[in-house]
Amino acid sequence: MAMNEGGKLGEVGVQLPTAKLPSPPPAVEMGTMSGPLVAPTSSSSFRRGDRKVLPMMDACHAALRLLCLLTSMIAICLMVTAKEASTVSLYGFQLPVYSKWSFADSFEYLVGVSGAVVAHSLLQLLLSLLRIRRKAPVIPTRRYAWLIFFGDQVFAYAMMSGGSAAAGVTNLNRTGIQHTALPNFCKPLHRFCDRVAASITFAIFSCFLLAASAVLDVIWLSNSSTPVLL
């Protein structure tokens, strides 16, 4: 209120300056933000960023399964056909001997393990080829990657143990027993020992192929790991 010249009261308007409110910060999408505290939000970033690497890894998976299938089948075929009859000299006597793979428990164990590896490799090979034909990734999920990684590890250790046990028996047949008159049975039964040795070699090779498949599984898991926001 204010007094004018005629003594009357008048109204005086007072205008205050308007305060500008700060504008809100722009929205940031978590999917596109980069920095040490934010990582990719899903495992699909590996596939989007490595479109050229993924088909190569799928082809390597299928090739390793095929090679492991072939080597395991060859190991079985060589072992189950290992049998021979001959004569051996012991204390001056000629004794007939007959050797067959089923006479040794370690050889039977190796055949059983090789059969399981054949089934495992054949199943994984068929699944891999089916997914490649559909242009889908051979390893679709992390759970499936952990499953085949565990299976590859178990079968690799089983093949290694079977090959080691069979190799010990074969070496005993080749060298004989010290301080005894038992001869080298692999001299009269050379074809049997050669087939067993070849079977063990292919079994050990299958073990390394399974180990290589497990390494590919680890590479896939390491590149598709779920991030942690700090």
Side-chain angles (χ1 to χ4, degrees), residues 131-150:
R131 293 191 177 105
I132 291 175
R133 183 178 180 181
R134 294 178 178 178
K135 296 183 179 179
V138 171
I139 303 178
T141 60
R142 287 179 55 83
R143 181 177 297 180
Y144 182 79
W146 280 111
L147 179 63
I148 61 175
F149 171 73
F150 178 76

Side-chain angles (χ1 to χ4, degrees), residues 49-156:
D50 298 296
R51 296 181 183 273
K52 296 182 179 180
V53 177
L54 186 60
M56 185 180 300
M57 291 187 62
D58 292 345
C60 289
H61 269 285
L64 287 174
R65 299 301 180 189
L66 178 60
L67 289 175
C68 188
L69 174 64
L70 294 176
T71 53
S72 300
M73 291 180 63
I74 293 174
I76 293 176
C77 293
L78 289 173
M79 183 62 76
V80 298
T81 57
K83 56 184 178 179
E84 187 178 2
S86 182
T87 58
V88 63
S89 178
L90 184 62
Y91 295 107
F93 297 97
Q94 297 294 325
L95 301 178
V97 291
Y98 177 72
S99 184
K100 190 178 180 181
W101 68 275
S102 59
F103 294 163
D105 294 336
S106 59
F107 295 163
E108 291 181 339
Y109 173 70
L110 182 60
V111 170
V113 172
S114 299
V117 172
V118 167
H120 171 72
S121 301
L122 180 60
L123 177 61
Q124 295 301 324
L125 178 62
L126 293 177
L127 292 176
S128 299
L129 294 178
L130 182 61
R131 293 191 177 105
I132 291 175
R133 183 178 180 181
R134 294 178 178 178
K135 296 183 179 179
V138 171
I139 303 178
T141 60
R142 287 179 55 83
R143 181 177 297 180
Y144 182 79
W146 280 111
L147 179 63
I148 61 175
F149 171 73
F150 178 76
D152 290 338
Q153 287 288 303
V154 169
F155 285 117

